[in-house]
Amino acid sequence: MVNTGRRERRKLETRRKLDEVALRLFLKHGYDGVTVAQIAEEADISVATLFAHVPDGKDALIFDDGSERRAGIVAAVRDRDEPILAALHRFFAARGPYSTDIPPEHAPKRDLIVHTPALREYARRLWHSCEPDLTAALADESGLSPDDPAVRALARFVLEIPDLTGTAPDPAAALASVFALLESGWPPST
């Protein structure tokens, strides 16, 4: 077990408090109805301290730094007993708007993200930050070079899937249709 120092524990506690306050205010007043100053005031910290903990500002307040999603998508590719596309489909199906298993206490946060353009765009940037790691994992698993256009294209397209399907009337069905397309290719024209 890693023993974190007092300073690190206080930083984590401040970040947790900021996340909770921001989510509560966003759910009560809407994302656009809340300012960074209001969040800082409610959390009893200065705006400068808020930005020290969350340099990306308001958009990043209810997200982690993206490391969990990077590790998760790479693990889906590397630690699998099924084809890569099936593993990636399963990975996405267990997340966000696709999941039917989401704990009830997480649903309001998921819905806020799905219905707020600025938060969806921030989530998209977090997904895109996974591209180098996903490209490397796909290359390793396929035996192709990370510079191979097919590897790069697959990584980039897979990382666009949440943006393309997350707000569909039936996100899980949209997700399945995109993965079916990837698995079978574009149908020939008649």
Side-chain angles (χ1 to χ4, degrees), residues 7-179:
R7 180 179 175 156
E8 188 61 30
R9 287 191 310 271
R10 288 186 68 189
K11 285 171 57 176
L12 290 171
E13 178 59 27
T14 299
R15 177 57 201 250
R16 186 195 58 74
K17 184 177 182 181
L18 283 169
D19 294 349
E20 289 174 2
V21 166
L23 180 60
R24 183 170 38 80
L25 290 175
F26 293 158
L27 292 173
K28 184 175 181 181
H29 303 289
Y31 175 82
D32 293 325
V34 178
T35 66
V36 170
Q38 290 170 316
I39 295 166
E41 174 72 24
E42 186 76 17
D44 196 28
I45 64 169
S46 70
V47 172
T49 300
L50 183 148
F51 280 110
H53 287 275
V54 189
D56 287 347
K58 183 176 157 180
D59 296 348
L61 278 166
I62 62 171
F63 291 97
D64 65 12
D65 64 0
S67 58
E68 179 272 331
R69 76 182 60 214
R70 262 189 310 281
I73 201 164
V74 167
V77 171
R78 293 190 189 279
D79 306 335
R80 64 190 165 73
D81 55 3
E82 60 193 331
I84 288 174
L85 290 175
L88 288 168
H89 185 180
R90 191 171 36 78
F91 169 77
F92 281 112
R95 300 181 66 92
Y98 315 109
S99 176
T100 56
D101 262 4
I102 193 163
E105 65 272 14
H106 294 159
K109 180 177 178 178
R110 176 206 53 206
D111 295 344
L112 176 71
I113 293 167
V114 168
H115 298 297
T116 306
L119 295 175
R120 281 196 324 267
E121 179 56 33
Y122 189 81
R124 185 175 188 230
R125 289 194 309 268
L126 287 175
W127 282 117
H128 285 203
S129 73
C130 300
E131 188 173 341
D133 296 322
L134 179 57
T135 300
L138 290 169
D140 288 348
E141 293 297 312
S142 67
L144 298 171
S145 165
D147 294 330
D148 186 297
V151 172
R152 293 176 53 226
L154 180 59
R156 188 164 297 169
F157 189 74
V158 163
L159 295 172
E160 284 292 338
I161 291 173
D163 188 54
L164 294 170
T165 62
T167 59
D170 183 348
L175 178 71
S177 74
V178 170
F179 273 100

